[in-house]
Amino acid sequence: MPLLRGVWGVLSALGKSGAELCADCGSRLRAPFRFVYIPRWFSSTLSSYPKKPMTSYVRFSKEQLAIYKAQNPDAKNSELIKKIAEIWRELPESEKKIYEDAYKADWQAYKEELNRIQEQLTPSQKVSLEKEMMQKRLKKKSILKKRELTLLGKPKRPRSAYNIFISECFQGAKNGSLQVRLKTIHESWKNLSNAEKQVYIQLAEDDKARYYSEIKSWEEQMVEVGREDLLRRKPMDFCQFNTFCIGILLWKTQT
């Protein structure tokens, strides 16, 4: 538990970039604004946008992470991040100022370049740009959230019987394209007898029991470190639902 508190403390200090230091936990996400038309000029315009400069602490942590990673190749990123955070806290103010001054200079250059690009855009281009930037922010936020949960050790969700069957059969299906293999496996699943399917149904039930046991323990740890925001949302009981409905009715009568 002390280690978990330490890791979360470092992540809080690092902000979004702290989660980026977690390796091998990326994921593909569906774009939340697929229905929005984005002109073709957009990708080139957005790619020319300058990136926000690193804060003084993130700049320091990235420099030190490379050094400590080379010295301790077998150490976990969470352990190195914790050590770097301790070093930063003990760093003299005169040395911290070097990083803070570098951040201020980079931020000023960033704002000037941003203003220069925006002055060249038409009103319609600015609207489209805002939509695209919102899309990228939401996607980045989702990716960082998943990486943070991976770093904090959130248990994997249980698999269904069908997913377990696909995973088992996919390793042996090497011929044909991905679509062909999936179609073949799907047909094999449909042709299984009830007794054969029951084997996978039982495996799914076992995996579900594993998940609920692990997620309960994990959520207790999150409560202990003050991360109630990561807990599952519990459904409202009957009394809560009635109270909610009454509140809606009262609000409608007053408006």
Side-chain angles (χ1 to χ4, degrees):
M1 295 311 300
L3 175 59
L4 193 57
R5 293 193 192 95
V7 171
W8 174 242
V10 175
L11 285 174
S12 300
L14 281 174
K16 292 181 178 179
S17 296
E20 290 178 314
L21 296 176
C22 171
D24 302 325
C25 47
S27 58
R28 298 177 61 188
L29 298 173
R30 299 176 64 183
F33 287 95
R34 288 185 183 274
F35 58 87
V36 179
Y37 169 71
I38 305 297
R40 287 192 172 183
W41 60 266
F42 210 63
S43 57
S44 59
T45 302
L46 195 61
S47 63
S48 65
Y49 256 52
K51 291 184 178 181
K52 286 186 178 181
M54 293 182 291
T55 63
S56 54
Y57 177 61
V58 172
R59 184 191 298 269
F60 173 81
S61 66
K62 285 202 170 185
E63 288 180 1
Q64 298 299 316
L65 184 65
I67 296 173
Y68 281 98
K69 193 67 177 176
Q71 296 174 349
N72 306 275
D74 298 329
K76 295 181 180 179
N77 278 346
S78 58
E79 297 173 353
L80 297 178
I81 292 171
K82 182 180 179 182
K83 183 176 181 63
I84 291 170
E86 293 173 354
I87 295 173
W88 174 261
R89 285 196 294 268
E90 298 174 359
L91 203 67
E93 291 299 324
S94 58
E95 294 186 36
K96 284 185 180 180
K97 190 175 184 301
I98 298 174
Y99 292 93
E100 292 167 356
D101 290 343
Y103 169 70
K104 290 178 181 178
D106 288 348
W107 181 260
Q108 183 61 34
Y110 164 78
K111 293 294 290 183
E112 292 174 359
E113 180 64 13
L114 201 63
N115 291 334
R116 184 189 67 78
I117 293 175
Q118 289 182 339
E119 287 174 357
Q120 299 175 358
L121 300 177
T122 64
S124 61
Q125 287 176 332
K126 289 181 179 180
V127 172
S128 297
L129 186 62
E130 283 296 323
K131 292 179 181 178
E132 175 71 2
M133 292 180 72
M134 175 64 74
Q135 174 183 337
K136 286 188 173 291
R137 281 196 294 267
L138 290 175
K139 183 177 180 179
K140 183 178 180 180
K141 184 177 180 180
S142 297
I143 292 173
L144 293 175
K145 186 72 170 180
K146 286 181 178 292
R147 290 179 178 176
E148 180 189 27
L149 291 175
T150 301
L151 184 61
L152 292 173
K154 185 175 182 179
K156 292 184 178 180
R157 295 187 63 83
R159 295 181 297 169
S160 66
Y162 180 60
N163 286 338
I164 294 175
F165 177 77
I166 289 179
S167 178
E168 180 182 290
C169 295
F170 197 78
Q171 298 175 0
K174 299 180 179 179
N175 298 326
S177 64
L178 176 63
Q179 290 183 345
V180 171
R181 283 182 284 173
L182 288 176
K183 184 177 180 181
T184 302
I185 294 171
H186 179 67
E187 290 298 324
S188 298
W189 171 260
K190 290 197 299 183
N191 294 330
L192 288 180
S193 65
N194 290 336
E196 290 172 324
K197 285 185 178 180
Q198 187 60 40
V199 175
Y200 296 96
I201 293 173
Q202 184 58 52
L203 289 174
E205 289 296 322
D206 294 342
D207 195 37
K208 187 184 295 184
R210 181 273 314 167
Y211 170 74
Y212 284 118
S213 175
E214 292 180 356
I215 197 67
K216 181 181 178 182
S217 176
W218 183 80
E219 287 184 340
E220 289 173 355
Q221 293 176 351
M222 292 303 101
V223 170
E224 189 172 340
V225 297
R227 290 306 309 270
E228 288 85 354
D229 59 300
L230 299 179
L231 306 185
R232 293 167 295 169
R233 291 184 178 180
K234 296 181 178 179
M236 290 187 292
D237 58 29
F238 184 73
C239 293
Q240 290 174 325
F241 180 74
N242 281 344
T243 303
F244 173 77
C245 292
I246 293 171
I248 293 294
L249 291 173
L250 289 175
W251 176 77
K252 284 187 175 182
T253 56
Q254 294 174 358
T255 56

